[in-house]
Amino acid sequence: MTTTQTSVVQDLGTLAHRLSHPAGARCVCEPPQVLADRPDGTVVRSGAIVAKAHAADSDHEALAARIALAAAPQLTGILLPPLTAPGRSLTAPEPSGGPQHPEPSEPPAPAPRPVTLWPLGAPVDPTDPEAAPWAEAAVLLARLHRTEPPFRLPAMRGPAKAARAVARMRAALPGDPAVLPVLAGWRALPAWARGEVPAPARRSGFLCHGDLHLGQLVRHPAPDGPWLLIDVDDAGTGDPAWDLGRPAAWYASGLLAPEDWFAFLDAYRSAGGPAVPADGDPWAELDVPARALTVQTAALALAKCAAEQRRPDEHEQLMIESCARIATLPPELAADHAS
């Protein structure tokens, strides 16, 4: 961890501790816990408070709109609401000189990375795949997609994230033939799925999460509250099928069991989700997002393998091989599940 990363983690821990610890009380708190530490998001927990430092290159106006979305009454019971008020300064604290306990309404001092504050939720248990809340996730997505955007929002960032993943792979493995299947899958996508042009108008006005996977769900209040969606960094308006793209890609690649996929799809349809028809073949709408998420996953896997100087594991290799397969198939067949 670099000095800068260490400073960010320490600052977040200080802020979360200040807000979770009663002012004037004797401190017997456990040390802050790092939940994630990446350039696009460093997350630290202290007590029942979670502090998140967003990417340094975040569009502050767009981020503020997304945080306001999570706080909007229309999204109650769908998105985890922030503790950061929509009008609050989205900046990180300066390193403190000692244990202090300001009031929660006191804004932190400016720093390079914007920071938001959230209540602690209980995440999906990665050790219990049979209890994975696929149906619950689908219902939340359907409710999100059916909600009229409460105010003007930026575009959902899913295609932009896919493009960033491919760029990261290219930078990590310049001239390496291992990237060729992934690039072939990438070139086979339409321009809107590569983030080069807006999505088709008929599919671009829906409220979307933008980065749906099981890590984006928590129970709140912890540990047994209802499931809610978290991480609105990529939320906005766009094609709702994108939010179904990752589980669709996993199913098409053989990583998601058919029973889990159909539980997810059936729950989404039963809840009135608009991304796919109410019955019949869903792949006309899911094909492009599933291919794009396949490419994104494979590109990130190769970039990580390069950084860690290792070969792709079994699951990563499946996604890479899927890129080669989908690049050779007509669009309507590219996401068919291998039997």
Side-chain angles (χ1 to χ4, degrees):
M1 186 182 296
T2 67
T3 301
T4 301
Q5 288 174 307
T6 301
S7 176
V8 169
V9 168
Q10 290 175 343
D11 291 351
L12 291 176
T14 298
L15 178 59
H17 178 260
R18 289 175 180 177
L19 301 184
S20 66
H21 190 84
R26 179 174 176 269
C27 182
V28 292
C29 304
E30 296 181 358
Q33 177 186 5
V34 179
L35 304 181
D37 187 17
R38 302 184 305 271
D40 64 341
T42 301
V43 184
V44 179
R45 168 217 175 169
S46 182
I49 303 294
V50 173
K52 178 175 182 177
H54 301 260
D57 62 352
S58 295
D59 180 325
H60 286 227
E61 184 177 350
L63 177 60
R66 291 173 171 125
I67 302 307
L69 176 68
Q74 297 92 325
L75 280 302
T76 299
I78 301 173
L79 299 176
L80 181 73
L83 299 175
T84 308
R88 182 176 177 176
S89 175
L90 297 173
T91 50
E94 294 283 357
S96 71
Q100 303 175 35
H101 304 293
E103 292 298 318
S105 60
E106 179 181 327
R113 291 176 68 177
V115 167
T116 51
L117 302 168
W118 306 84
L120 179 69
V124 175
D125 184 355
T127 68
D128 189 8
E130 293 186 2
W134 285 110
E136 292 88 343
V139 171
L140 288 171
L141 282 183
R143 292 176 60 196
L144 178 70
H145 296 162
R146 295 197 330 258
T147 301
E148 189 73 19
F151 41 77
R152 185 178 179 85
L153 288 163
M156 176 265 293
R157 291 184 64 247
K161 286 197 73 171
R164 180 174 291 191
V166 172
R168 178 179 167 186
M169 176 192 69
R170 283 172 158 155
L173 294 164
D176 194 313
V179 308
L180 294 179
V182 182
L183 292 178
W186 182 244
R187 286 191 292 267
L189 294 170
W192 75 262
R194 298 195 301 264
E196 297 170 2
V197 299
R202 72 180 183 88
R203 305 287 296 174
S204 62
F206 294 88
L207 196 53
C208 301
H209 181 274
D211 188 29
L212 188 279
H213 53 80
L214 290 182
Q216 308 288 36
L217 285 94
V218 297
R219 287 189 180 275
H220 181 73
D224 300 316
W227 290 106
L228 296 171
L229 293 168
I230 64 171
D231 191 358
V232 293
D233 289 41
D234 303 306
T237 53
D239 184 350
W242 195 276
D243 285 342
L244 281 66
R246 185 174 273 109
W250 288 349
Y251 167 65
S253 299
L255 294 179
L256 183 63
E259 56 267 26
D260 290 331
W261 165 249
F262 287 114
F264 175 83
L265 182 62
D266 291 347
Y268 182 84
R269 283 172 152 169
S270 295
V276 294
D279 53 32
D281 186 359
W283 288 104
E285 304 297 346
L286 296 181
D287 170 52
V288 169
R291 286 192 287 151
L293 271 298
T294 298
V295 171
Q296 177 180 320
T297 304
L300 288 176
L302 284 173
K304 290 178 181 178
C305 288
E308 297 167 6
Q309 297 185 325
R310 62 174 177 84
R311 297 179 62 82
D313 63 27
E314 180 182 359
H315 289 175
E316 292 167 336
Q317 189 60 41
L318 273 175
M319 300 306 289
I320 295 166
E321 292 172 357
S322 292
C323 290
R325 179 171 62 87
I326 63 177
T328 65
L329 295 175
E332 68 273 11
L333 300 178
D336 279 354
H337 183 255
S339 58

